[in-house]
Amino acid sequence: MSIFVDRDTRLLVQGITGREGSFHSRQMLEYGTAIVAGVTPGKGGQTFESRVPVFNTVDEAVRATGANVSVIYVPPMAAAAAVVEAADAGLPLVVCITEGIPVMHMSRTMPFVRGRGVRLIGPNCPGLIAPEARAKVGIIPGNICSPGRVGMVSRSGTLTYEVVNHLTRAGIGQSTCVGIGGDPIIGTNFIDCLRAFQNDPGTDAIVMIGEIGGTDEQNAAVFVREHVTKPVVGFIAGQTAPKGRRMGHAGAIISGSSGTAEEKLAAFEAAGIGIMRRPADVVDLLRSRM
Amino acid sequence: MNLHEYQARTLLKAAGIPMFEGDVASTPTEAEAIARRIGGTVVVKAQVHAGGRGKAGGVKLARNPAEAMDEAAQILGMTIKGLTVHKVLVVPAAEIVTESYVGLIMDREAQCPVFMVSAAGGVDIEEVAAKTPEKIVRLPVDPTYGLFPHQALRLAFVLYRDFTQVKAAARIMEQLYAAFVNNGASLAEINPLVTAPDGRVLALDAKVVIDDNELFWRPDLGVLRDDSAEEPSEAAARRANLSFIKLDGNVGCVVNGAGLAMATMDLVKYYGGEPANFLDIGGSSSPEKVINALKIITADPHVKAILFNIFGGITRTDDVANGIVAATRQFKVDVPIVIRLTGTNEVEAIRILEGVGMRALSDMDQAVQQVVQLARGAA
């Protein structure tokens, strides 16, 4: 079992003919994901990799193929509009990989997305992957994942791969790995994923990978204390980061007292979340708690 | 991107926000001319991206144009927190009756711009926020509609009783919101908003931070960037499209991905070392990026050993290996390099490195322990 995506996922790729979109669509197809449609305005009628029909609009693609999830590889300036188009077409789940979207674009987009009852994952995220269902939506390398019963939720990309790799090598498989993204405004947060993992019968334990900046991890810790009965272990990146400096992710800014690593680790501790001092700790820590 | 005070003033002034006159000078003579134009006592303020300018001697009072010239001569060229002062702002030492705080910030939790207004302005607003948060009124703005007139009035009534002043302050709220949106800001702040003895409401000091993601399609804002106000290595990194922050340690780090880069720094510290930098080469890395990264890191004389930590996803590890080989052919790297790479095309990457007698590790902990030891041995 898994969260957000499964065997019934029928994926649509926005920006399928672009450089990033075509590269990752091939990877997703290779992994076994059911890509049923692509969208690139002006390229409707083409066929991608001689098997995926390309449409001009998301609406047209959804009506023709019954797609139920969209993944977006559209350049930053058009990405928020692509999210709106997907939400407007009635897709219940939209995953936006694009990095570099102006925050104001997302601020204007979120009320619309929420109004349509759509779950947005990202932007500026690696997407998600459910190994058992062979559903890869985004850019997480399939070869480092393995089917199993640990749920992963993370704000970063390559750091997620690092931790997943430790799990897989130790023989601990994953139900779903979700990268929620590093931007200040994102559609799905830690709590949304924790709730889904708690309710997922296919998940026995949860790994949470956070970062400095913001209060998402602290809020998540409170949620864990009150609502999560499954074991949770966590990591916070940026423990040695200097205050007030931007560390690549727009979200990872420490301002004032809110968002430091110490504050987040204290919140984890208070919620009974097992604290990983290093990425490699994930294996022993999980084993001691499962 | 942080703007200088004088640049922020220009943007807010263009939005119609009333301000005391004042101008920016690059030489003592220019400062004198501005002081003469303003007349009376002026304040000469260093334009650097650093807090605590006053304590560092970067803000001085001058009673006449001659003094303004002297003070400017002292301040121009001085170093505040490692940054050289190239410009000073000259403004009147205005008499003021009240000071308040008006800030507008893109709030991640509310997912929209949020006004923060407090009658307790002029002093350290962070202290007010920490000690007496009830003195700050917060108001989220739905960007679909913008700031409604009644919201602007509500904010203004927090600061003023007199209705003429309330209307003036409300207009400033609207102008500040417009400046925030039109300039792609993530922060726009008036601190303090003051009342002059004649009752006028004016902005005394301004701070604006532009969302870096806006700069791509807003070249008009990009020109406001002041390269000389940055750490030189950070400016060079930005021009090479690398995300880089200089730190004080001696272990140079080249990593792909911001989260992994932070975790690498943490691990260096965990094993007793000190990172010399944060560096994220980004997702789709070309050999060129690796060469630039190595150039920037080796330029720091404190660096005693360099660690590559690459987890190939979109990043092809063979690209990184080619970059390392090309860089060491282009220029001499005097410090030891420890390479950890795993993921996409790692077999090819290892072959490339072994071709020139280099080794690659696959375990992050092992690589970090090794580089920390090498840096310590060299120090």
Side-chain angles (χ1 to χ4, degrees):
Chain A
M1 281 284 283
S2 52
I3 65 169
F4 304 148
V5 290
D6 53 30
R7 286 186 192 284
D8 298 326
T9 293
R10 295 174 64 77
L11 187 63
L12 176 155
V13 181
Q14 288 175 260
I16 195 165
T17 58
R19 200 171 60 98
E20 301 283 325
S22 57
F23 176 80
H24 291 291
S25 292
R26 267 179 227 115
Q27 307 264 317
M28 290 188 286
L29 284 170
E30 211 172 285
Y31 189 70
T33 311
I35 302 183
V36 297
V39 169
T40 301
K43 300 211 169 156
Q46 294 185 5
T47 306
F48 177 78
E49 293 286 289
S50 50
R51 56 207 265 210
V52 182
V54 178
F55 298 86
N56 285 315
T57 66
V58 174
D59 182 61
E60 198 188 337
V62 170
R63 277 188 284 125
T65 66
N68 53 19
V69 178
S70 173
V71 62
I72 296 172
Y73 301 93
V74 166
M77 290 312 140
V83 171
V84 169
E85 185 186 357
D88 201 26
L91 287 160
L93 176 63
V94 179
V95 181
C96 185
I97 307 300
T98 309
E99 176 181 0
I101 304 175
V103 191
M104 185 53 93
H105 289 198
M106 287 317 299
S107 182
R108 288 199 171 117
T109 301
M110 283 314 297
F112 182 84
V113 167
R114 251 186 250 109
R116 296 287 166 126
V118 172
R119 169 167 306 288
L120 170 68
I121 296 177
N124 189 14
C125 78
L128 68 165
I129 187 165
E132 175 77 51
R134 305 302 287 178
K136 163 175 153 134
V137 178
I139 63 176
I140 298 177
N143 63 315
I144 56 168
C145 303
S146 55
R149 305 187 60 83
V150 170
M152 256 203 66
V153 52
S154 168
R155 242 161 90 175
S156 93
T158 48
L159 177 56
T160 313
Y161 313 163
E162 178 72 36
V163 177
V164 171
N165 200 36
H166 280 295
L167 291 178
T168 294
R169 281 197 314 204
I172 302 173
Q174 308 89 41
S175 58
T176 315
C177 303
V178 188
I180 57 174
D183 273 4
I185 296 182
I186 50 174
T188 294
N189 61 23
F190 279 115
I191 292 178
D192 298 322
C193 296
L194 289 166
R195 186 184 292 119
F197 280 132
Q198 171 67 22
N199 294 335
D200 173 33
T203 299
D204 293 340
I206 304 163
V207 180
M208 233 179 105
I209 310 292
E211 267 176 23
I212 51 170
T215 50
D216 226 29
E217 289 85 351
Q218 296 89 311
N219 298 340
V222 173
F223 182 84
V224 167
R225 199 174 56 205
E226 289 169 1
H227 303 286
V228 179
T229 54
K230 297 174 182 179
V232 182
V233 305
F235 181 78
I236 299 291
Q239 298 178 34
T240 55
K243 286 191 178 190
R245 297 304 305 266
R246 183 181 157 137
M247 290 281 179
H249 282 178
I253 299 173
I254 321 183
S255 46
S257 63
S258 152
T260 62
E262 299 84 68
E263 199 179 327
K264 291 179 189 237
L265 291 172
F268 278 10
E269 191 108 55
I273 296 172
I275 294 172
M276 299 156 58
R277 292 285 159 196
R278 321 168 290 159
D281 288 343
V282 69
V283 172
D284 289 345
L285 208 51
L286 266 182
R287 284 209 173 116
S288 73
R289 288 174 175 245
M290 277 172 85
Chain B
M1 180 178 77
N2 286 319
L3 295 190
H4 286 300
E5 189 184 353
Y6 77 90
Q7 296 171 321
R9 277 173 57 97
T10 309
L11 291 187
L12 298 196
K13 217 170 179 173
I17 294 176
M19 289 195 164
F20 290 107
E21 65 173 316
D23 213 341
V24 66
S26 314
T27 65
T29 326
E30 281 174 24
E32 185 199 23
I34 298 164
R36 194 177 303 282
R37 203 167 68 229
I38 292 171
T41 304
V42 295
V43 188
V44 184
K45 304 169 91 174
Q47 300 293 288
V48 280
H49 297 312
R53 287 178 300 173
K55 277 186 199 139
V59 180
K60 287 287 168 64
L61 219 57
R63 282 168 301 179
N64 53 53
E67 274 190 24
M69 183 156 92
D70 288 347
E71 294 297 354
Q74 293 288 322
I75 295 171
L76 286 165
M78 78 187 291
T79 308
I80 300 176
K81 294 194 179 154
L83 298 167
T84 309
V85 181
H86 297 284
K87 285 188 166 74
V88 291
L89 176 68
V90 183
V91 287
E95 211 182 307
I96 49 182
V97 183
T98 68
E99 295 181 85
S100 52
Y101 172 85
V102 179
L104 182 56
I105 189 164
M106 184 58 88
D107 187 80
R108 49 192 303 159
E109 220 164 325
Q111 304 199 323
C112 65
V114 173
F115 263 101
M116 286 175 297
V117 165
S118 176
V123 288
D124 193 352
I125 193 67
E126 280 99 30
E127 206 178 297
V128 178
K131 287 189 182 149
T132 48
E134 70 281 0
K135 285 188 177 166
I136 298 179
V137 174
R138 289 169 51 96
L139 184 126
V141 182
D142 185 333
T144 314
Y145 307 105
L147 183 71
F148 289 117
H150 74 275
Q151 293 177 316
L153 268 179
R154 199 193 128 199
L155 292 170
F157 269 116
V158 173
L159 307 180
Y160 290 100
R161 285 278 150 259
D162 175 85
F163 196 54
T164 309
Q165 288 175 329
V166 167
K167 280 189 289 185
R171 188 158 167 69
I172 290 172
M173 303 295 170
E174 287 172 347
Q175 288 162 330
L176 187 67
Y177 185 79
F180 180 92
V181 172
N182 295 338
N183 293 299
S186 50
L187 172 85
E189 197 177 71
I190 301 173
N191 187 28
L193 181 76
V194 302
T195 316
D198 61 7
R200 282 181 306 152
V201 180
L202 304 106
L204 193 64
D205 204 342
K207 184 175 164 62
V208 171
V209 179
I210 307 282
D211 174 5
D212 286 351
N213 291 346
E214 296 272 357
L215 298 176
F216 175 76
W217 68 340
R218 292 291 303 271
D220 56 320
L221 295 171
V223 299
L224 296 174
R225 188 184 300 275
D226 177 7
D227 268 4
S228 70
E230 288 174 272
E231 161 68 37
S233 56
E234 291 179 11
R238 194 173 33 69
R239 284 192 293 268
N241 274 320
L242 299 166
S243 181
F244 173 87
I245 290 174
K246 192 186 166 336
L247 303 168
D248 298 328
N250 59 10
V251 178
C253 303
V254 184
V255 189
N256 65 323
L260 188 61
M262 285 193 280
T264 304
M265 289 161 49
D266 294 346
L267 204 61
V268 166
K269 200 123 181 178
Y270 179 89
Y271 285 115
E274 287 291 336
N277 65 277
F278 163 92
L279 195 156
D280 170 15
I281 58 170
S284 41
S285 70
S286 60
E288 196 58 36
K289 272 195 171 179
V290 177
I291 296 171
N292 285 326
L294 262 178
K295 265 186 198 154
I296 288 159
I297 288 180
T298 50
D300 178 353
H302 298 113
V303 171
K304 300 293 177 222
I306 298 170
L307 169 68
F308 276 81
N309 185 15
I310 306 296
F311 202 116
I314 330 175
T315 308
R316 291 173 42 180
T317 57
D318 55 328
D319 274 350
V320 177
N322 276 321
I324 297 171
V325 172
T328 50
R329 279 198 187 126
Q330 265 185 35
F331 53 95
K332 196 167 163 359
V333 180
D334 291 324
V335 296
I337 300 178
V338 176
I339 303 162
R340 180 275 174 130
L341 48 82
T342 187
T344 313
N345 295 1
E346 63 180 27
V347 176
E348 177 67 6
I350 291 164
R351 197 190 55 77
I352 292 165
L353 291 171
E354 282 176 348
V356 296
M358 288 187 186
R359 284 188 56 216
L361 301 168
S362 62
D363 183 78
M364 174 167 162
D365 284 74
Q366 203 189 342
V368 171
Q369 279 172 288
Q370 202 172 98
V371 79
V372 167
Q373 210 159 13
L374 285 167
R376 194 177 294 146

